[in-house]
Amino acid sequence: KAGVTQTPRYLIKTRGQQVTLSCSPISGHRSVSWYQQTPGQGLQFLFEYFSETQRNKGNFPGRFSGRQFSNSRSEMNVSTLELGDSALYLCASSLVGTASSRGYTFGSGTRLTVV
Amino acid sequence: ELKVEQNPLFLSMQEGKNYTIYCNYSTTSDRLYWYRQDPGKSLESLFVLLSNGAVKQEGRLMASLDTKARLSTLHITAAVHDLSATYFCAVPASNFGNEKLTFGTGTRLTIIP
């Protein structure tokens, strides 16, 4: 069974640009959550999508947005990039948005560097 | 607002020794998750604790949950070098059937031969 696939693995962007990250969940999973990991703030919840609807959102500015497609793949977009957006972005896949007995499955992440 | 505290933040221990990582959280939750992260890697699910008194064991790791004390522990028995990693606990807050995880700060564990 394929795992959670995140693309690209690495990105370097310039301040002011925008970026789109992609996450393909495990086949059959309908919930995708996004997390930001930085050395200073740790792991923080961005948002969660289920059946193309955003059900939950963390405390991030509106520059951070996302969407989910009918095949459950999800994208997140960050506009007007700032240096502080440099982070590892992780997505987590689950069947319906709560943990199964195996917990959430995380992708390998996208490491974004803003210069 | 849910707060999750882990201690210690850093732990350096010799192979063969035992130690415990603590995870305290501030609001009611009946479930808790433990994850492992190797440097530059993603999060690997270790344990899913779904009720008060839950205890799970896998190899040299054992996790438990006391929802009344709002405390979970991750116990390491006879540590080996392969266990060197950062360990996170995560507490879910449910909202309309989906969960938003609040992670602890992580415990960076280094096992010294």
Side-chain angles (χ1 to χ4, degrees):
Chain A
K1 192 175 187 181
V4 181
T5 303
Q6 287 190 248
T7 57
R9 290 294 308 277
Y10 302 94
L11 267 178
I12 299 176
K13 290 285 189 179
T14 305
R15 273 181 300 175
Q17 287 187 312
Q18 75 166 20
V19 67
T20 299
L21 313 181
S22 177
C23 173
S24 293
I26 290 171
S27 178
H29 284 194
R30 296 166 65 189
S31 169
V32 173
S33 301
W34 289 89
Y35 290 83
Q36 181 197 64
Q37 185 176 27
T38 60
Q41 299 298 317
L43 282 151
Q44 294 185 286
F45 173 81
L46 281 156
F47 26 63
E48 187 258 358
Y49 286 87
F50 179 81
S51 292
E52 303 179 64
T53 300
Q54 185 184 92
R55 298 194 299 184
N56 212 341
K57 191 177 191 306
N59 296 323
F60 280 81
R63 299 185 298 106
F64 291 81
S65 63
R67 59 178 176 169
Q68 187 180 34
F69 301 94
S70 58
N71 62 357
S72 294
R73 187 177 71 86
S74 177
E75 288 181 348
M76 67 163 282
N77 183 78
V78 188
S79 63
T80 320
L81 283 165
E82 301 177 359
L83 294 178
D85 297 332
S86 295
L88 179 66
Y89 290 88
L90 295 165
C91 77
S93 164
S94 69
L95 198 60
V96 294
T98 57
S100 68
S101 60
R102 297 183 60 81
Y104 294 90
T105 303
F106 282 81
S108 298
T110 294
R111 184 162 298 278
L112 171 66
T113 302
V114 181
V115 297
Chain B
E1 181 187 344
L2 173 61
K3 293 193 186 304
V4 181
E5 293 184 353
Q6 271 182 253
N7 66 82
L9 297 184
F10 299 94
L11 177 56
S12 182
M13 53 190 289
Q14 287 187 314
E15 279 189 330
K17 299 291 187 183
N18 303 334
Y19 210 82
T20 301
I21 298 170
Y22 298 88
C23 175
N24 291 89
Y25 53 98
S26 62
T27 63
T28 302
S29 178
D30 60 359
R31 56 182 67 194
L32 185 141
Y33 316 127
W34 283 95
Y35 287 90
R36 168 183 171 144
Q37 187 176 39
D38 292 295
K41 304 289 187 180
S42 186
L43 295 169
E44 174 191 353
S45 178
L46 292 175
F47 298 110
V48 177
L49 304 170
L50 297 177
S51 62
N52 184 41
V55 177
K56 295 271 186 80
Q57 182 163 7
E58 178 90 24
R60 300 174 188 274
L61 300 178
M62 183 173 71
S64 65
L65 178 62
D66 181 343
T67 59
K68 293 177 182 173
R70 298 176 187 170
L71 170 68
S72 179
T73 60
L74 179 66
H75 187 72
I76 303 148
T77 301
V80 293
H81 180 70
D82 285 353
L83 292 179
S84 295
T86 300
Y87 293 85
F88 292 93
C89 62
V91 180
S94 292
N95 180 31
F96 302 108
N98 67 91
E99 293 180 334
K100 159 188 168 181
L101 298 182
T102 299
F103 283 85
T105 49
T107 296
R108 184 176 296 180
L109 173 64
T110 304
I111 308 297
I112 303 167

